[in-house]
Amino acid sequence: DFQNDYQDISVTAYNTGDLYGIMHNQGADANIVTAPAGNTFSHIGSANNLYSDFSNSCANINYWHHYPNLAGAPYVVPTFHSPVPEVLPKMNNNAPPYSKSTACPSSLGEKSYTETRTAIAENESTKTVYSDSLNDLTDDGNTTATNLDILTSMPPETMQLRDELLNASPYLSDTVMVNAAEKEEVLPNSIVTGILAKNPQSAKADNVLNKLNERTTPPSDNQMAQIHANDTVVGHKACLESKRDFYAGKKADEVYRLIRMYSTDTTIGNIYDSIETALTNINTPDAYYQQAFCRFNKGDSSGVMAVLNNVTSNFDLSDAQNNYHNYFENYFNILLSLQSQQKSFAEIDSAQKAVLDNVMNNNGQLLHAYARNLLIYTNGLLYHEPYIEVDTNTLKTATAHNNIVYTYWPQNATFKLYPNPAREYISLEYNMDIGTAGAVIEIVDIQGKHIETFRLHGTRGVKVVDLRAWITGTYIIRLTVNGKPIQSDKFVKY
């Protein structure tokens, strides 16, 4: 609980970006009282500390909170927070109302081995339900095939590829959207804008936005406005991910409860076998590294290397994760060398100290602490834990897209059409200072026969009209607001 604090929560790091910070989903959308994050906030807020509830300078997060208490405190919603999408508060409408005793229960209560193992199995079962749903829905169940379709597509296949991606929406992965953003010759800005508008999770991803920014002709300001209109939206994919991650976290909590029980149980013959077996319930690289320590403590050097090799074969590691893994291998090579020579940690030589120094200085995670502690023990290293204060005088912007192109806009025009003439589709880009309430587009042929009608949403954006079933000819587009004619234009379908 936070009450009358100048700064409640602050997430800071020496570096910023997707690799730094805390879990993307804080809390979840699940229907139990402990699913939301469960913090309470001070609501101090001031001109020189706009983010007093939650300041985040690292990777973007979704903050799932309980339904607010209409009578006031306790304040469960972070009102004074970093701009979205750095911190996106999202209300969990499924969970019971907040109360401290039920929303944040103590985790110190005792459980039996049977109760703990049952809790592990139950949380795994529920997590699997959401994992399976995501696997079936994400990229229409086949990310590899979807990526291949994008990479091998040719310009005449624009609308066919658009249909495929829209059919898989709103569950497209960032990997697919990055490849789509790179395929400028097949998916022009108006097309990719419409796809991103259907996938709000990717519309907030820095790697996707940066790829759009790298296009020869980046999206226009109106197109980016349509994309960023979803900055405050948590899509279907993100909701499922929050539930999956929530139950994965609950399962991990029970696994570590089981490990603590093993650690204090004097009746267990080989404690490291039991701990390693418990860790196999968590499928992450960090759990594998912990298994490697179990093998090391048993004197099983070949087992250590086997577990480390499994990390690279079982996980698709990013460049940063690969570097981290290589440092772990360097660290274990030192431990195994000492063990094989029956030397103590105090007998680390100068070359090994240099390796440890390199590991310590190039890692900010737990491995940094492992290497640092050995150097403190063997080399008399003086170390003071650093901390990073919140810079309340600097306002961090949340927009990753900077290279906005301000395209030519006809004088007094509310919309413009392109390409014109058009073959398979035409894009209607609009910018309406008059507002969109009652804004309707009607399309008729040259004889005045009605072809299509649709509403416009948002003051700026792009609407793609599929022309594949239309006959060749000239068409007229009319914009009316509350029945009043605003603008009309012609295009040719060939």
Side-chain angles (χ1 to χ4, degrees):
D1 293 328
F2 299 103
Q3 295 181 6
N4 300 318
D5 293 321
Y6 178 78
Q7 182 66 58
D8 291 344
I9 299 177
S10 177
V11 181
T12 58
Y14 287 115
N15 297 291
T16 58
D18 290 343
L19 295 176
Y20 302 91
I22 57 179
M23 289 288 290
H24 176 64
N25 282 299
Q26 294 296 301
D29 195 30
N31 60 352
I32 60 177
V33 70
T34 55
N39 300 106
T40 60
F41 298 93
S42 300
H43 279 198
I44 296 296
S46 63
N48 62 347
N49 189 8
L50 299 178
Y51 312 149
S52 64
D53 289 343
F54 204 133
S55 178
N56 177 34
S57 60
C58 298
N60 301 331
I61 68 164
N62 294 325
Y63 186 89
W64 294 91
H65 58 81
H66 289 85
Y67 192 87
N69 185 348
L70 298 180
Y75 302 117
V76 297
V77 183
T79 301
F80 303 98
H81 59 80
S82 304
V84 292
E86 289 169 17
V87 176
L88 176 56
K90 190 67 178 175
M91 186 161 61
N92 180 327
N93 289 305
N94 300 311
Y98 173 87
S99 73
K100 182 175 177 57
S101 59
T102 57
C104 301
S106 171
S107 60
L108 300 178
E110 293 185 0
K111 285 186 177 181
S112 67
Y113 279 123
T114 300
E115 289 172 327
T116 304
R117 293 187 181 109
T118 299
I120 292 172
E122 289 175 346
N123 284 302
E124 169 62 21
S125 177
T126 308
K127 185 208 77 171
T128 300
V129 171
Y130 293 113
S131 295
D132 289 347
S133 295
L134 281 166
N135 290 337
D136 291 340
L137 293 169
T138 300
D139 302 326
D140 215 12
N142 197 331
T143 299
T144 301
T146 305
N147 275 328
L148 183 62
D149 289 345
I150 294 172
L151 295 173
T152 58
S153 62
M154 302 295 287
E157 300 170 328
T158 293
M159 292 302 286
Q160 178 181 341
L161 184 58
R162 168 185 177 265
D163 290 346
E164 179 181 348
L165 296 178
L166 286 178
N167 286 338
S169 299
Y171 297 99
L172 290 179
S173 66
D174 290 352
T175 302
V176 162
M177 284 310 310
V178 164
N179 288 326
E182 290 180 328
K183 206 70 175 178
E184 186 173 1
E185 73 278 13
V186 179
L187 297 171
N189 290 326
S190 58
I191 297 291
V192 83
T193 296
I195 297 169
L196 276 172
K198 297 291 186 181
N199 294 273
Q201 70 284 348
S202 290
K204 295 188 282 284
D206 285 351
N207 56 345
V208 176
L209 296 176
N210 289 336
K211 284 299 178 184
L212 288 178
N213 197 34
E214 293 169 7
R215 285 187 159 202
T216 303
T217 304
S220 69
D221 53 335
N222 291 322
Q223 290 162 342
M224 288 308 303
Q226 183 173 345
I227 291 172
H228 283 303
N230 280 331
D231 280 353
T232 59
V233 174
V234 176
H236 297 287
K237 184 170 180 285
C239 287
L240 282 177
E241 288 171 339
S242 77
K243 295 172 182 177
R244 177 202 61 193
D245 294 345
F246 172 71
Y247 287 103
K250 285 178 66 66
K251 174 189 169 185
D253 288 343
E254 296 297 335
V255 168
Y256 286 111
R257 180 196 297 274
L258 187 61
I259 290 173
R260 291 192 298 271
M261 294 165 67
Y262 288 148
S263 300
T264 57
D265 190 340
T266 57
T267 66
I268 298 177
N270 192 327
I271 185 175
Y272 296 114
D273 283 341
S274 298
I275 291 175
E276 183 178 352
T277 300
L279 286 167
T280 59
N281 288 286
I282 305 176
N283 191 36
T284 65
D286 283 341
Y288 277 62
Y289 296 137
Q290 291 172 312
Q291 291 176 51
F293 279 113
C294 289
R295 301 279 178 99
F296 171 76
N297 288 324
K298 292 189 297 183
D300 182 5
S301 58
S302 60
V304 170
M305 300 312 298
V307 171
L308 292 178
N309 289 335
N310 285 339
V311 172
T312 55
S313 60
N314 293 350
F315 297 96
D316 183 16
L317 301 179
S318 65
D319 290 342
Q321 289 173 318
N322 264 314
N323 289 334
Y324 188 59
H325 179 76
N326 292 336
Y327 284 122
F328 246 117
E329 288 186 331
N330 294 339
Y331 180 78
F332 271 112
N333 284 335
I334 293 175
L335 298 188
L336 293 174
S337 175
L338 292 172
Q339 191 177 69
S340 67
Q341 300 174 62
Q342 296 184 333
K343 290 183 177 181
S344 70
F345 292 143
E347 297 174 271
I348 291 176
D349 61 32
S350 58
Q352 292 169 328
K353 289 178 182 178
V355 173
L356 289 173
D357 188 69
N358 186 45
V359 170
M360 180 186 72
N361 290 324
N362 288 282
N363 287 280
Q365 302 182 53
L366 194 57
L367 185 55
H368 166 93
Y370 294 158
R372 180 194 70 212
N373 290 343
L374 275 181
L375 288 172
I376 291 173
Y377 177 67
T378 63
N379 213 34
L381 174 71
L382 294 177
Y383 179 80
H384 300 282
E385 191 70 38
Y387 62 90
I388 308 171
E389 293 184 338
V390 181
D391 183 2
T392 57
N393 295 316
T394 302
L395 302 182
K396 179 174 178 285
T397 60
T399 303
H401 182 89
N402 296 314
N403 189 21
I404 294 177
V405 174
Y406 293 91
T407 54
Y408 168 73
W409 198 264
Q411 187 176 9
N412 299 324
T414 305
F415 69 82
K416 62 179 180 179
L417 305 171
Y418 56 88
N420 191 5
R423 184 170 179 266
E424 292 193 332
Y425 69 93
I426 191 162
S427 300
L428 184 150
E429 183 173 349
Y430 58 93
N431 188 343
M432 298 189 295
D433 295 333
I434 55 177
T436 56
V440 175
I441 289 289
E442 181 187 16
I443 304 177
V444 299
D445 64 16
I446 198 66
Q447 284 80 36
K449 179 183 177 182
H450 174 267
I451 304 297
E452 187 171 341
T453 301
F454 53 84
R455 290 186 176 276
L456 297 181
H457 302 281
T459 57
R460 295 189 295 177
V462 180
K463 171 70 175 179
V464 174
V465 181
D466 187 348
L467 305 178
R468 284 173 292 181
W470 296 25
I471 62 174
T472 58
T474 300
Y475 294 86
I476 300 172
I477 291 185
R478 301 168 179 159
L479 168 64
T480 60
V481 175
N482 295 323
K484 178 183 177 181
I486 301 298
Q487 182 184 340
S488 62
D489 205 347
K490 295 180 182 178
F491 73 90
V492 174
K493 149 73 176 176
Y494 68 93

PDB file of all heavy atoms in Angstrom, residues 262-274:
ATOM      1  N   TYR A 262      11.453 -28.016   0.151  1.00  0.00           N
ATOM      2  CA  TYR A 262      12.534 -28.998  -0.001  1.00  0.00           C
ATOM      3  C   TYR A 262      13.797 -28.546   0.741  1.00  0.00           C
ATOM      4  O   TYR A 262      14.510 -29.351   1.347  1.00  0.00           O
ATOM      5  CB  TYR A 262      12.881 -29.192  -1.476  1.00  0.00           C
ATOM      6  CG  TYR A 262      11.856 -29.958  -2.286  1.00  0.00           C
ATOM      7  CD1 TYR A 262      11.655 -29.674  -3.641  1.00  0.00           C
ATOM      8  CD2 TYR A 262      11.094 -30.973  -1.709  1.00  0.00           C
ATOM      9  CE1 TYR A 262      10.732 -30.370  -4.398  1.00  0.00           C
ATOM     10  CE2 TYR A 262      10.153 -31.676  -2.461  1.00  0.00           C
ATOM     11  CZ  TYR A 262       9.984 -31.368  -3.805  1.00  0.00           C
ATOM     12  OH  TYR A 262       9.064 -32.068  -4.550  1.00  0.00           O
ATOM     13  N   SER A 263      14.080 -27.231   0.665  1.00  0.00           N
ATOM     14  CA  SER A 263      15.325 -26.704   1.228  1.00  0.00           C
ATOM     15  C   SER A 263      15.400 -26.872   2.742  1.00  0.00           C
ATOM     16  O   SER A 263      16.495 -26.905   3.305  1.00  0.00           O
ATOM     17  CB  SER A 263      15.483 -25.222   0.862  1.00  0.00           C
ATOM     18  OG  SER A 263      15.519 -25.059  -0.533  1.00  0.00           O
ATOM     19  N   THR A 264      14.251 -26.959   3.392  1.00  0.00           N
ATOM     20  CA  THR A 264      14.232 -27.067   4.857  1.00  0.00           C
ATOM     21  C   THR A 264      13.823 -28.460   5.339  1.00  0.00           C
ATOM     22  O   THR A 264      13.662 -28.671   6.539  1.00  0.00           O
ATOM     23  CB  THR A 264      13.264 -26.031   5.450  1.00  0.00           C
ATOM     24  OG1 THR A 264      11.957 -26.218   4.893  1.00  0.00           O
ATOM     25  CG2 THR A 264      13.741 -24.607   5.138  1.00  0.00           C
ATOM     26  N   ASP A 265      13.665 -29.382   4.390  1.00  0.00           N
ATOM     27  CA  ASP A 265      13.224 -30.740   4.736  1.00  0.00           C
ATOM     28  C   ASP A 265      14.457 -31.641   4.911  1.00  0.00           C
ATOM     29  O   ASP A 265      15.112 -32.014   3.937  1.00  0.00           O
ATOM     30  CB  ASP A 265      12.316 -31.285   3.640  1.00  0.00           C
ATOM     31  CG  ASP A 265      11.624 -32.584   4.054  1.00  0.00           C
ATOM     32  OD1 ASP A 265      12.111 -33.244   4.987  1.00  0.00           O
ATOM     33  OD2 ASP A 265      10.601 -32.923   3.427  1.00  0.00           O
ATOM     34  N   THR A 266      14.764 -31.995   6.136  1.00  0.00           N
ATOM     35  CA  THR A 266      15.964 -32.784   6.425  1.00  0.00           C
ATOM     36  C   THR A 266      15.781 -34.264   6.114  1.00  0.00           C
ATOM     37  O   THR A 266      16.740 -35.047   6.199  1.00  0.00           O
ATOM     38  CB  THR A 266      16.345 -32.635   7.918  1.00  0.00           C
ATOM     39  OG1 THR A 266      15.234 -33.040   8.726  1.00  0.00           O
ATOM     40  CG2 THR A 266      16.708 -31.189   8.226  1.00  0.00           C
ATOM     41  N   THR A 267      14.569 -34.662   5.740  1.00  0.00           N
ATOM     42  CA  THR A 267      14.328 -36.082   5.442  1.00  0.00           C
ATOM     43  C   THR A 267      14.624 -36.428   3.984  1.00  0.00           C
ATOM     44  O   THR A 267      14.598 -37.607   3.611  1.00  0.00           O
ATOM     45  CB  THR A 267      12.872 -36.452   5.754  1.00  0.00           C
ATOM     46  OG1 THR A 267      11.990 -35.750   4.868  1.00  0.00           O
ATOM     47  CG2 THR A 267      12.525 -36.110   7.202  1.00  0.00           C
ATOM     48  N   ILE A 268      14.864 -35.409   3.143  1.00  0.00           N
ATOM     49  CA  ILE A 268      15.125 -35.652   1.723  1.00  0.00           C
ATOM     50  C   ILE A 268      16.573 -36.081   1.540  1.00  0.00           C
ATOM     51  O   ILE A 268      17.497 -35.439   2.037  1.00  0.00           O
ATOM     52  CB  ILE A 268      14.831 -34.393   0.890  1.00  0.00           C
ATOM     53  CG1 ILE A 268      13.356 -34.022   1.005  1.00  0.00           C
ATOM     54  CG2 ILE A 268      15.194 -34.610  -0.569  1.00  0.00           C
ATOM     55  CD1 ILE A 268      12.980 -32.759   0.269  1.00  0.00           C
ATOM     56  N   GLY A 269      16.772 -37.152   0.795  1.00  0.00           N
ATOM     57  CA  GLY A 269      18.120 -37.666   0.589  1.00  0.00           C
ATOM     58  C   GLY A 269      18.985 -36.749  -0.235  1.00  0.00           C
ATOM     59  O   GLY A 269      20.049 -36.294   0.204  1.00  0.00           O
ATOM     60  N   ASN A 270      18.571 -36.470  -1.477  1.00  0.00           N
ATOM     61  CA  ASN A 270      19.344 -35.582  -2.360  1.00  0.00           C
ATOM     62  C   ASN A 270      18.473 -34.386  -2.719  1.00  0.00           C
ATOM     63  O   ASN A 270      17.631 -34.452  -3.610  1.00  0.00           O
ATOM     64  CB  ASN A 270      19.802 -36.308  -3.627  1.00  0.00           C
ATOM     65  CG  ASN A 270      20.848 -35.496  -4.387  1.00  0.00           C
ATOM     66  OD1 ASN A 270      20.820 -34.272  -4.378  1.00  0.00           O
ATOM     67  ND2 ASN A 270      21.782 -36.192  -5.035  1.00  0.00           N
ATOM     68  N   ILE A 271      18.692 -33.297  -2.011  1.00  0.00           N
ATOM     69  CA  ILE A 271      17.830 -32.117  -2.161  1.00  0.00           C
ATOM     70  C   ILE A 271      17.893 -31.543  -3.567  1.00  0.00           C
ATOM     71  O   ILE A 271      16.904 -31.048  -4.098  1.00  0.00           O
ATOM     72  CB  ILE A 271      18.207 -31.059  -1.101  1.00  0.00           C
ATOM     73  CG1 ILE A 271      17.227 -29.880  -1.172  1.00  0.00           C
ATOM     74  CG2 ILE A 271      19.624 -30.574  -1.295  1.00  0.00           C
ATOM     75  CD1 ILE A 271      17.456 -28.866  -0.085  1.00  0.00           C
ATOM     76  N   TYR A 272      19.084 -31.630  -4.224  1.00  0.00           N
ATOM     77  CA  TYR A 272      19.225 -30.993  -5.531  1.00  0.00           C
ATOM     78  C   TYR A 272      18.437 -31.735  -6.603  1.00  0.00           C
ATOM     79  O   TYR A 272      17.963 -31.117  -7.564  1.00  0.00           O
ATOM     80  CB  TYR A 272      20.699 -30.898  -5.901  1.00  0.00           C
ATOM     81  CG  TYR A 272      21.464 -30.003  -4.951  1.00  0.00           C
ATOM     82  CD1 TYR A 272      22.454 -30.524  -4.116  1.00  0.00           C
ATOM     83  CD2 TYR A 272      21.167 -28.653  -4.854  1.00  0.00           C
ATOM     84  CE1 TYR A 272      23.146 -29.700  -3.220  1.00  0.00           C
ATOM     85  CE2 TYR A 272      21.848 -27.821  -3.969  1.00  0.00           C
ATOM     86  CZ  TYR A 272      22.824 -28.350  -3.152  1.00  0.00           C
ATOM     87  OH  TYR A 272      23.489 -27.545  -2.267  1.00  0.00           O
ATOM     88  N   ASP A 273      18.267 -33.046  -6.464  1.00  0.00           N
ATOM     89  CA  ASP A 273      17.407 -33.769  -7.398  1.00  0.00           C
ATOM     90  C   ASP A 273      15.962 -33.279  -7.282  1.00  0.00           C
ATOM     91  O   ASP A 273      15.266 -33.088  -8.285  1.00  0.00           O
ATOM     92  CB  ASP A 273      17.466 -35.274  -7.108  1.00  0.00           C
ATOM     93  CG  ASP A 273      18.744 -35.921  -7.623  1.00  0.00           C
ATOM     94  OD1 ASP A 273      19.394 -35.317  -8.496  1.00  0.00           O
ATOM     95  OD2 ASP A 273      19.093 -37.010  -7.140  1.00  0.00           O
ATOM     96  N   SER A 274      15.510 -33.097  -6.043  1.00  0.00           N
ATOM     97  CA  SER A 274      14.130 -32.645  -5.828  1.00  0.00           C
ATOM     98  C   SER A 274      13.920 -31.235  -6.365  1.00  0.00           C
ATOM     99  O   SER A 274      12.898 -30.939  -7.003  1.00  0.00           O
ATOM    100  CB  SER A 274      13.800 -32.694  -4.334  1.00  0.00           C
ATOM    101  OG  SER A 274      13.888 -34.015  -3.840  1.00  0.00           O
TER     102      SER A 274
END
